[in-house]
Amino acid sequence: MSGAPALEVDLEVTVGRGGAAFSVEARFTLPSGVLVLFGPSGAGKTVTLRAIAGLIRPTRGSVRLAGEALFDWMRGVDVPPEARRIGYVPQDQALFPHLDVLGNVVFGLPRKERKKPGPLVLALLDELGLSALRGARVDSLSGGERQRVALGRALAAEPRLLLLDEPLSALDRAARLSIGRSLREALARRSLPAVLVTHDAEEAAAFGDVFVRFERGKPARELPREVVLGEKGPCPHCGKP
Amino acid sequence: MESSTSFPILLSLRVAGLALLFVGPIGLAIALLQARRRYALRGLVDALVLLPLVLPPSVVGYVLVVVFGRRGLLGRILEEGLGVRLVFSPAGAALASAVVALPILVKTAQPSIEAVPSQLEDVARTLGLKPWEVVFRVTLPLAWRGVLAALVLGFARAIGEFGATLMLAGNIPGRTNTMPVEIFAAFQEGDDARAGLYVGVLSAISVVVVLVAGLLGPKEGRAPA
């Protein structure tokens, strides 16, 4: 591994037009591990995530992945999303409703591997507990299963970074624990850096190595764990308040 | 005369098919563009697409003759460059049909494309798909009902085109006498049997089309929001 940090972000993104327009400013660095974007909804966390993926064009700034510039306003660099190799799991999972579970997971693979899933795909299905569901329609899945499929679909394409938007917030407690464990193991096994969006302090504490606090109308900055999560924040070791 | 009874039917099917082959891809491309991109001239393109629906067919026909006629700019290029003459030809009839089919094609396909959550297309991009691959692997597979309905309605509009066709392609028996043109000619000659035959055939085609389009129309089977 090179000495460059996994992810360096220094962005200003403007969304909307006219009176409805608002700007998000964010600057942070992730050496390795999981970076948590923490704050209330409407503060620009998802916008920042989409800008890292290349789905929104920032008004200025830069995004660097392991030292490589994916976006650099000064130098006119803007790598399209399909060439960034950044996995994206949006809040509603956005599973492809016209495909079954396997079809979703192999979606980003070359045609040959889509036709006949190889050992890597089978191992991934196994890892995420999806083997028995491979032929299932995605609209028949539970919330936790949907999250696993979305995670598998992103991981199968072998991303260099994973973006997760509120991955656990819609789940019940049991699913939250089991998906949370799968997610942590999946990231650790691949040494895959990730950016996780959440408004939940417990979730933030359980996953985060680096914390960025978002507040409406304020630039988002890296802050120490205690400051971001607040004094009432949960214990970093046990996850309990 | 008897042997030519079926000619207008077959000609109309061929002309409408050719028109659809030509305007189908263009119409779908415009529908995709209008559904997914916000650009400066979007409103103008919207208005231009609707024009053939709003203008009298005689105006559409006149414009086509001016542009594609033997002295028109594009007409001259086509005739001298490719040896294609549109005036008084079945190809001219197909062009007129294509132009009038464009609005209904775009306006039927566009809402079904807009109904595909753009989040799905975004995820597909992050999975390594280029924009045109996203169209074929996400957008069209999810919008197929509306797209098919658009093509069917476009075909119906094309096969029924009369005014602009008459002005550009004329009424040459055995060459450009499509069913609508033939009905008008038979009516003028007082040949009710001949007019009635083609009226019946066109009506039957239209009934089938409307039924099929209804079956394909807005309905469950769409992607969840």
Side-chain angles (χ1 to χ4, degrees):
Chain A
M1 248 181 127
S2 69
L7 179 69
E8 293 163 276
V9 170
D10 178 3
L11 285 179
E12 187 182 306
V13 190
T14 305
V15 283
R17 260 177 217 184
F22 84 108
S23 281
V24 178
E25 263 188 86
R27 185 188 304 165
F28 47 80
T29 302
L30 175 70
S32 65
V34 179
L35 180 124
V36 168
L37 306 183
F38 181 73
S41 43
K45 305 187 298 292
T46 298
V47 168
T48 305
L49 213 58
R50 291 172 57 81
I52 294 171
L55 297 168
I56 308 180
R57 195 190 168 88
T59 35
R60 52 144 221 91
S62 65
V63 176
R64 263 165 244 284
L65 187 63
E68 181 200 339
L70 298 178
F71 179 80
D72 191 332
W73 183 74
M74 296 281 276
R75 290 194 289 154
V77 177
D78 188 7
V79 177
E82 66 267 26
R84 292 193 179 197
R85 289 187 51 209
I86 292 180
Y88 177 38
V89 180
Q91 189 167 2
D92 63 357
Q93 295 99 34
L95 299 182
F96 301 118
H98 57 304
L99 302 171
D100 62 10
V101 166
L102 181 64
N104 269 273
V105 170
V106 299
F107 189 87
L109 299 177
R111 178 185 282 271
K112 256 191 223 152
E113 293 166 58
R114 291 206 302 272
K115 288 251 155 94
K116 198 173 179 300
L120 286 175
V121 170
L122 297 176
L124 179 63
L125 290 174
D126 200 39
E127 178 187 349
L128 293 171
L130 292 171
S131 297
L133 291 170
R134 54 185 280 178
R137 288 175 56 100
V138 296
D139 54 13
S140 69
L141 302 178
S142 72
E145 288 163 350
R146 290 179 63 83
Q147 200 63 49
R148 288 176 187 278
V149 174
L151 189 59
R153 178 178 62 181
L155 290 174
E158 297 183 353
R160 300 182 289 172
L161 174 75
L162 196 58
L163 306 175
L164 303 151
D165 199 345
E166 304 273 7
L168 307 179
S169 60
L171 305 176
D172 61 39
R173 184 154 181 84
R176 192 182 283 241
L177 287 173
S178 89
I179 306 277
R181 192 166 53 238
S182 299
L183 183 53
R184 264 191 303 273
E185 283 170 10
L187 294 175
R189 187 170 296 149
R190 294 167 176 77
S191 306
L192 180 62
V195 179
L196 184 143
V197 162
T198 184
H199 63 269
D200 182 275
E202 194 179 329
E203 202 174 310
F207 281 95
D209 297 304
V210 177
F211 297 85
V212 176
R213 171 146 198 108
F214 278 72
E215 277 172 279
R216 223 171 291 209
K218 281 194 195 168
R221 292 280 182 271
E222 257 167 73
L223 291 167
R225 170 190 289 263
E226 311 79 59
V227 179
V228 172
L229 302 178
E231 281 105 5
K232 296 192 305 275
C235 159
H237 306 294
C238 58
K240 287 189 182 126
Chain B
M1 203 65 205
E2 279 309 309
S3 64
S4 68
T5 307
S6 61
F7 181 81
I9 302 175
L10 295 174
L11 177 68
S12 281
L13 289 170
R14 259 179 36 222
V15 162
L18 188 63
L20 201 63
L21 221 54
F22 175 68
V23 80
I26 295 175
L28 288 184
I30 295 175
L32 278 163
L33 181 76
Q34 297 299 89
R36 284 298 184 238
R37 300 259 186 261
R38 297 285 170 271
Y39 58 98
L41 298 177
R42 186 167 178 271
L44 183 67
V45 170
D46 226 22
L48 285 176
V49 164
L50 281 178
L51 267 188
L53 191 69
V54 181
L55 288 172
S58 54
V59 174
V60 175
Y62 188 86
V63 171
L64 287 176
V65 169
V66 167
V67 176
F68 291 99
R70 304 195 64 181
R71 276 170 298 167
L73 182 64
L74 289 177
R76 272 216 305 269
I77 293 173
L78 281 175
E79 184 157 359
E80 284 162 22
L82 302 167
V84 176
R85 195 202 288 175
L86 291 175
V87 188
F88 301 123
S89 78
L95 176 67
S97 300
V99 169
V100 296
L102 183 68
I104 197 167
L105 221 156
V106 173
K107 287 297 151 190
T108 310
Q110 193 179 329
S112 69
I113 291 168
E114 281 165 354
V116 175
S118 57
Q119 185 92 284
L120 298 180
E121 297 169 336
D122 288 346
V123 169
R125 290 290 298 279
T126 67
L127 290 168
L129 275 71
K130 295 181 181 67
W132 66 266
E133 294 174 308
V134 174
V135 168
F136 286 104
R137 288 188 54 205
V138 178
T139 316
L140 291 182
L142 286 170
W144 70 269
R145 285 175 157 274
V147 168
L148 203 57
L151 293 173
V152 168
L153 286 171
F155 181 82
R157 183 65 191 84
I159 206 169
E161 171 49 27
F162 169 63
T165 306
L166 189 63
M167 289 182 72
L168 187 64
N171 175 16
I172 305 171
R175 185 162 164 80
T176 64
N177 55 331
T178 57
M179 281 191 281
V181 172
E182 192 64 21
I183 290 167
F184 184 67
F187 167 74
Q188 280 193 318
E189 292 162 19
D191 189 345
D192 285 347
R194 193 155 57 102
L197 169 69
Y198 298 124
V199 165
V201 172
L202 270 179
S203 302
I205 291 174
S206 300
V207 167
V208 170
V209 161
V210 170
L211 285 176
V212 170
L215 284 175
L216 292 168
K219 199 187 233 210
E220 46 74 62
R222 290 273 168 73

